[in-house]
Amino acid sequence: QKEVEQDPGPLSVPEGAIVSLNCTYSNSAFQYFMWYRQYSRKGPELLMYTYSSGNKEDGRFTAQVDKSSKYISLFIRDSQPSDSATYLCAMKTGNQFYFGTGTSLTVIP
Amino acid sequence: DGGITQSPKYLFRKEGQNVTLSCEQNLNHDAMYWYRQDPGQGLRLIYYSQIVNDFQKGDIAEGYSVSREKKESFPLTVTSAQKNPTAFYLCASSIVAGGPYNEQFFGPGTRLTVL
C-alpha cells in the first residue's frame, strides 16, 4: 500500500463548477499537508499548506484536513480554464516529503 | 528574485553517456532534493541533502550520483548505469530548521531524453 493515495482522474468539469480533489494516507505521523499545482512540462508550484485538521481558505481554494480519517481535500470554487493542470497532494513527517501521483483536471470553457 | 533554477530545460543523451543536470537555489535553503517524474507514477525521490557535503539515497538512487559542495548547488549526474533515464527531473529545496512545518519549492525541471 502506498503511503499516499490520490485518484489520478482525469477530471473534466465545466467552467464555474466546484472541484473536489482528494487524497488519503496511511501514516499517522504525517504532520504537514500541502497541495501543489503543476502545469504541463513545468515544475510544481505550491498552492496551499496546513498542519491542523479543519479548513483553510485562500481565495477560490480551500484545503481541508481530517486527521481522524486520514483524508485531505482541495476544493476549487468557480473553476476557471486556467485551473486546468495536475494537482499533487503532499505530506511531510520530519524532513521527508511524500507525494500523491497527481490528479489531472481540465476546466472546459 | 529568489528561486530555483535548473538547466538545461531539455537534454538529449546517447546511450552509454553520463550527463549532469544542474540545480541552483538562492533561497538560502538547507535541504535540496532530486525527484524523477514519470507519467502515472508521481514523484520519486532520487537523492536528498540536508547539509553541505552530505547526502542520502532516496527510493531510486541506482544509476545516479550527486554532490553538495556548496549550499546553493546540488547537481545530479545520470550515469550510463541508469537503465531507463528518459524522464522529467525536478529539483526542490526546503528549510530544515523549524521542525516539520516547512514547504518544498520546486525548480522548472529538466526533460532528459535518451536517444
Side-chain angles (χ1 to χ4, degrees), chain B:
Chain B
D1 190 18
I4 303 173
T5 57
Q6 291 185 241
S7 62
K9 187 173 181 179
Y10 298 98
L11 185 58
F12 298 90
R13 188 195 92 174
K14 292 181 179 179
E15 282 193 24
Q17 287 181 337
N18 293 354
V19 289
T20 297
L21 283 59
S22 169
C23 177
E24 304 275 336
Q25 55 97 1
N26 61 5
L27 301 167
N28 199 32
H29 284 174
D30 304 293
M32 297 187 74
Y33 307 77
W34 274 105
Y35 292 92
R36 171 180 171 142
Q37 189 175 36
D38 297 281
Q41 295 198 48
L43 298 175
R44 292 186 289 170
L45 182 64
I46 304 172
Y47 269 99
Y48 67 99
S49 168
Q50 296 191 28
I51 194 170
V52 173
N53 292 323
D54 186 55
F55 47 83
Q56 307 295 326
K57 291 182 179 180
D59 301 320
I60 56 165
E62 185 175 351
Y64 300 97
S65 66
V66 294
S67 63
R68 187 87 187 275
E69 297 176 0
K70 298 186 300 182
K71 187 176 184 178
E72 304 81 20
S73 179
F74 192 40
L76 173 74
T77 297
V78 184
T79 75
S80 57
Q82 170 49 236
K83 298 304 179 188
N84 186 22
T86 294
F88 190 48
Y89 290 87
L90 287 161
C91 179
S93 71
S94 70
I95 299 171
V96 172
Y101 308 123
N102 294 305
E103 308 82 42
Q104 201 168 60
F105 295 90
F106 286 85
T110 292
R111 184 166 298 278
L112 172 64
T113 302
V114 174
L115 303 173

Side-chain angles (χ1 to χ4, degrees), chain A residues 7-27:
Chain A
D7 187 340
L11 190 59
S12 183
V13 301
E15 184 175 355
I18 296 174
V19 176
S20 173
L21 305 166
N22 310 297
C23 288
T24 58
Y25 63 95
S26 56
N27 189 347

